[in-house]
């Protein structure tokens, strides 16, 4: 059960220059994306760096939903800059890009695929020391400020994969709720769905002592180790916050209380899934966003088709939890109740449908598109979606129930329409 | 909100040799006490070190309830050994001694008082790098495997004080419930009371955003920063486990489930109070154990009078929470309910007495001695007990309500008899 350092509070971002000075940093790489680079969160960081006399260079070419190509561009920048510390200001895309840049700049003779998860990459353990990285999340979903995971689209295969190692976990996350006030409502909703699924998936993942293989040397154990007594606590608390505050946070951009709570929930769920892992919603989400055709999410200012990560994750959740509930049905019922279902008269064998109904109602209330069909997919796409899920075994094998290709096919089919 | 790395599970101690090998350690210091040195937890560690080809020296002169003298003896051993890693196997006394040995051996030109908490010491921030330290707790109370605190008796002044810095937090805690089966029942009870008070005090401590002073540079902020949304979660979970399992764990040495849960609760409460801090029960406990006359706790195999730490902490708890409940009465009622009180008809202004009654009932059921009088103290000792509490401002100032010397006097007087 590894851990994460976060500091939470309105205004903590202003302290980043002091933190870097305390770490002895003199030449810092500030990573962000083009949209954020003109907004207050980045300004505050730059002011704090200047005020503390710290030299820095800005890299603002982070791609929303990064690719191996965009990772490599950032890595080149990092290698040239010979930085002694990093600050990432943005959502998961920015934090993940910065983790990769720090890793490969610290290990300059590695091939890109060396550290990428098997079977796509070689999944080599990280043994080089990295530079300090401070993550400042500006969305409330990824929890990337607390995890050792960096996700990207591997364009050659059209699948999402990533790098997973405790070594790339940020040194410190500055969780500053003031940044959430800049988020468009759709971004709040979709990033909140990511929190929802981090919590549900990590809580229903296979228990840590039932996972196999179980390498005898601790260093060979995966970052994602199955549900455990510590991750359970984070998952349940994050889910309670999502149930209570997500709708308010989406509907009213000025609801600082609701947006603050969601910002904390994102970190809570991150600490939970960062230890326990996620499973089918995430495993199946990667081809859903990777194979996007023309769908462009509202309120996302990007120049390419995009299914936002949280949306691609949540869209299969009713089907997934109907499928997994036969294992650990009590946990499925417990989460349904947290989401507002009345489970007093529910039978244990109905745990799956009860949770699925609670999820459908929750998504309907938040105007989520009606299933994969509304995101541009048809039945003809199911074989490709299944094929794109198969390489995600790092997460799919953490599902409490094993899946055949037919099972995955049926899950995508059941997710074509939600309501 | 800083964090702690722990690995939990029956048998995880066997992995310590691999962990040290993974850290590159070649010359390890194994610290323990004379009682434990012949028992399985130490044997398992030695076997694992040998099996992994790691050289080590054993220091088994740790004193139960350590002093500045016993710390310095361990520090000398550490300096001479030039170790590249440490393993502490034991209770809080052993883990704390090992933290101090690692610190001063890594900072050989420091005076002993340099890092000791002000006002007794200079409270200097730690800037030197320390060696890895793996902590293997064999009691279920201190949570020291998760904290950056090392407590000792400063003999010259006859008060307890300590060293508090995130830098001395163990690199890894191996929380192995198998070790709890070796604990005498009285040790289970007293260490459980420490968990109880860690949880109650950290949950009722002054909130982190109301603490003063609030240094602008994060490095100057104390390890104990007041209650906060993360420590609250740990405190409540630890308290729930204490309420459900402590009596079972005390009464039946073979109840592995109950003893395992208490071992985990100890770490949970440690993560909580390690961030939030403790307050009056702990602040007042230090003179209670430091000024001990002839009391010798049953089932503790020591050659000197001893009020075990957990007992010295819990004995004032009914008086303390009666005093503090006017601040945050809801939290006091909530914890009373977790301990079994019926709060349906309780009035908010009765929160203090309601919690105090729940505590008295809990302690009576566990055969706790009837107050300070039963530990050998009389009214005549109150001025010395108050005098010994005053230097504990590092913790007492975290109480939700400020205390005058008269208040402290009244709290000791009210703790003379419990039932």
């Amino acid at each position: 059960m590894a851990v994460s350092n976060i500091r939470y509070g309105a205004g903590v971002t202003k302290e980043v220059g002091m933190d870097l000075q305390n770490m002895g940093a003199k030449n810092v790489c500030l990573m962000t994306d083009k949209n954020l680079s003109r907004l207050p969160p980045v300004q505050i960081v730059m002011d704090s760096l200047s005020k503390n006399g710290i030299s820095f260079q800005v890299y603002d070419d982070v791609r929303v939903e990064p690719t191996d190509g965009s990772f490599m561009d950032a890595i080149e920048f990092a290698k040239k800059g010979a930085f002694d510390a990093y600050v990432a200001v943005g959502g998961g895309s920015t934090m993940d890009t910065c983790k990769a840049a720090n890793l490969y700049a610290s290990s300059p003779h590695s091939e890109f695929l060396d550290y990428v998860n098997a079977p796509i990459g070689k999944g080599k353990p990280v043994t080089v020391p990295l530079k300090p990285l401070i993550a400042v999340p500006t969305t409330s979903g990824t929890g990337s400020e607390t995890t050792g995971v960096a996700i990207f689209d591997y364009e050659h295969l059209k699948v999402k994969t990533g790098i997973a190692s405790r070594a790339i976990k940020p040194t410190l996350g500055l969780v500053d709720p003031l940044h959430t006030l800049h988020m468009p409502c759709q971004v709040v909703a979709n990033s909140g769905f990511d929190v929802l699924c981090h919590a549900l998936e990590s809580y229903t993942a296979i228990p840590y002592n039932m996972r196999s293989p179980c390498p005898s040397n601790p260093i060979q154990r995966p970052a994602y180790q199955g549900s455990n007594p510590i991750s359970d606590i984070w998952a349940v608390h994050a889910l309670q916050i999502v149930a209570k505050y997500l709708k308010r946070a989406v509907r009213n951009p000025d609801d600082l209380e609701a947006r603050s709570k969601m910002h904390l929930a994102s970190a809570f769920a991150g600490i939970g899934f960062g230890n326990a892992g996620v499973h089918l919603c995430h495993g199946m989400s990667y081809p859903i966003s990777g194979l996007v055709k023309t769908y462009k999410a509202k309120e996302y200012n990007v120049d390419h088709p995009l299914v936002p990560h949280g949306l691609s994750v949540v869209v299969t959740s009713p089907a997934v939890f109907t499928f997994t509930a036969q294992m650990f049905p009590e946990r499925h019922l417990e989460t349904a109740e947290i989401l507002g279902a009345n489970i007093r008269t529910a039978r244990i064998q109905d745990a799956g449908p009860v949770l699925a109904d609670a999820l459908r109602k929750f998504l309907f209330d938040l105007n989520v598109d009606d299933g994969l069909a509304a995101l541009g997919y048809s039945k003809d796409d199911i074989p490709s979606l299944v094929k794109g899920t198969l390489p995600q075994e790092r997460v799919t094998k953490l599902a409490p129930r094993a899946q055949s290709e037919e099972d995955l096919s049926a899950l995508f089919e059941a997710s074509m329409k939600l309501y």
Side-chain angles (χ1 to χ4, degrees), chain A:
Chain A
M1 299 149 198
V3 283
S4 326
N5 264 313
I6 62 167
R7 190 181 310 138
Y8 170 74
V12 292
T13 311
K14 281 185 294 203
E15 300 171 355
V16 68
M18 277 185 287
D19 285 312
L20 287 162
Q21 203 178 52
N22 294 338
M23 291 169 185
K26 294 188 169 58
N27 176 30
V28 168
C29 177
L30 167 56
M31 289 211 167
T32 189
D33 66 47
K34 283 269 186 310
N35 291 322
L36 266 168
S37 62
R38 290 176 303 272
L39 293 177
V42 170
Q43 275 307 324
I44 292 166
V45 169
M46 293 202 291
D47 290 349
S48 175
L49 293 171
S50 302
K51 208 172 143 185
N52 287 277
I54 293 173
S55 301
F56 62 95
Q57 289 180 53
V58 178
Y59 177 87
D60 65 0
D61 279 335
V62 167
R63 183 186 149 101
V64 178
E65 308 297 331
T67 63
D68 48 337
S70 77
F71 266 20
M72 282 195 262
D73 189 65
I75 291 164
E76 277 314 301
F77 184 87
K79 281 182 174 173
K80 276 185 202 144
F83 302 108
D84 55 16
Y86 295 80
V87 182
V89 183
S93 301
T94 299
M95 293 186 272
D96 288 7
T97 301
C98 198
K99 290 174 189 176
N102 186 6
L103 172 61
Y104 288 95
S106 303
S107 184
H109 303 300
S110 296
E111 300 285 324
F112 182 70
L113 287 179
D114 281 356
Y115 294 121
V116 172
N117 296 321
I120 292 168
K122 293 187 193 155
K124 277 169 64 173
V126 178
T127 52
V128 295
L130 271 63
K131 304 294 181 190
L133 190 168
I134 298 182
V136 185
T138 59
T139 61
S140 308
T142 166
S144 184
E145 69 276 13
T146 70
T147 74
V149 178
I151 301 290
F152 64 95
D153 282 307
Y154 189 53
E155 294 187 293
H156 174 60
L157 296 180
K158 279 210 160 207
V159 289
K160 287 230 179 197
T161 182
I163 301 161
S165 166
R166 293 180 188 90
I168 64 171
K169 187 177 291 193
T171 319
L172 175 66
L174 295 174
V175 181
D176 186 339
L178 295 182
H179 300 328
T180 63
L181 300 175
H182 306 286
M183 259 192 293
C185 293
Q186 281 304 314
V187 178
V188 176
N190 288 324
S191 51
F193 298 145
D194 200 19
V195 180
L196 172 68
C197 288
H198 287 159
L200 287 173
E201 289 173 69
S202 61
Y203 195 57
T204 56
I206 193 164
Y208 73 108
N209 49 8
M210 291 169 63
R211 193 194 72 238
S212 67
C214 180
S216 63
N217 190 326
I219 208 173
Q220 284 152 358
R221 291 179 198 150
Y224 285 179
Q225 56 192 293
S227 62
N228 61 68
I230 292 198
S231 65
D232 287 349
I233 290 173
W234 296 110
V236 168
H237 278 270
L239 190 63
Q240 286 167 338
I241 296 173
V242 169
K244 187 165 178 189
Y245 292 103
L246 180 57
K247 290 181 191 173
R248 273 175 52 183
V250 171
R251 287 177 188 155
N252 181 359
D254 298 324
D255 189 337
L256 182 61
E257 183 194 2
R259 290 195 167 198
S260 297
K261 294 280 188 187
M262 282 303 304
H263 216 38
L264 200 54
S266 168
F268 282 7
I271 301 173
F273 93 83
N275 282 292
V278 285
H279 57 80
L280 283 171
C281 297
H282 271 76
M284 294 167 64
S285 81
Y286 299 132
I288 294 172
S289 48
L291 299 174
V292 58
K293 298 170 186 177
T294 58
Y295 183 85
K296 262 185 153 173
K298 281 165 284 188
E299 299 188 26
Y300 282 73
N301 182 18
V302 288
D303 58 5
H304 51 85
L306 176 73
V307 181
H309 174 64
L311 179 59
S312 72
V313 165
V314 86
V315 70
T316 60
S317 64
V320 162
F321 294 108
T322 304
F323 174 77
T324 56
Q326 63 174 243
M327 301 298 291
F328 317 120
E330 295 83 0
R331 288 193 170 213
H332 286 71
L333 277 182
E334 182 186 349
T335 55
E337 185 173 34
I338 294 171
L339 288 171
N342 177 356
I343 65 159
R344 282 216 190 153
T345 56
R347 296 177 312 170
I348 196 83
Q349 59 266 44
D350 294 334
V354 169
L355 176 53
D357 282 348
L359 283 165
R360 276 192 211 95
K361 184 170 181 314
F362 195 77
L363 300 184
F364 184 79
D365 288 350
L366 281 163
N367 296 313
V368 172
D369 290 309
D370 189 9
L372 289 173
L375 306 183
Y377 290 103
S378 73
K379 283 194 183 178
D380 296 344
D381 299 309
I382 291 179
S384 318
L385 290 166
V386 170
K387 194 169 155 236
T389 306
L390 296 177
Q392 309 301 336
E393 59 170 40
R394 181 181 62 96
V395 291
T396 54
K397 73 182 176 190
L398 288 168
R401 185 178 163 192
Q403 331 86 48
S404 63
E405 290 190 34
E406 291 68 36
D407 291 330
L408 290 174
S409 215
L411 290 172
F412 281 114
E413 185 158 353
S415 303
M416 282 292 161
K417 278 186 74 64
L418 290 178
Y419 312 121

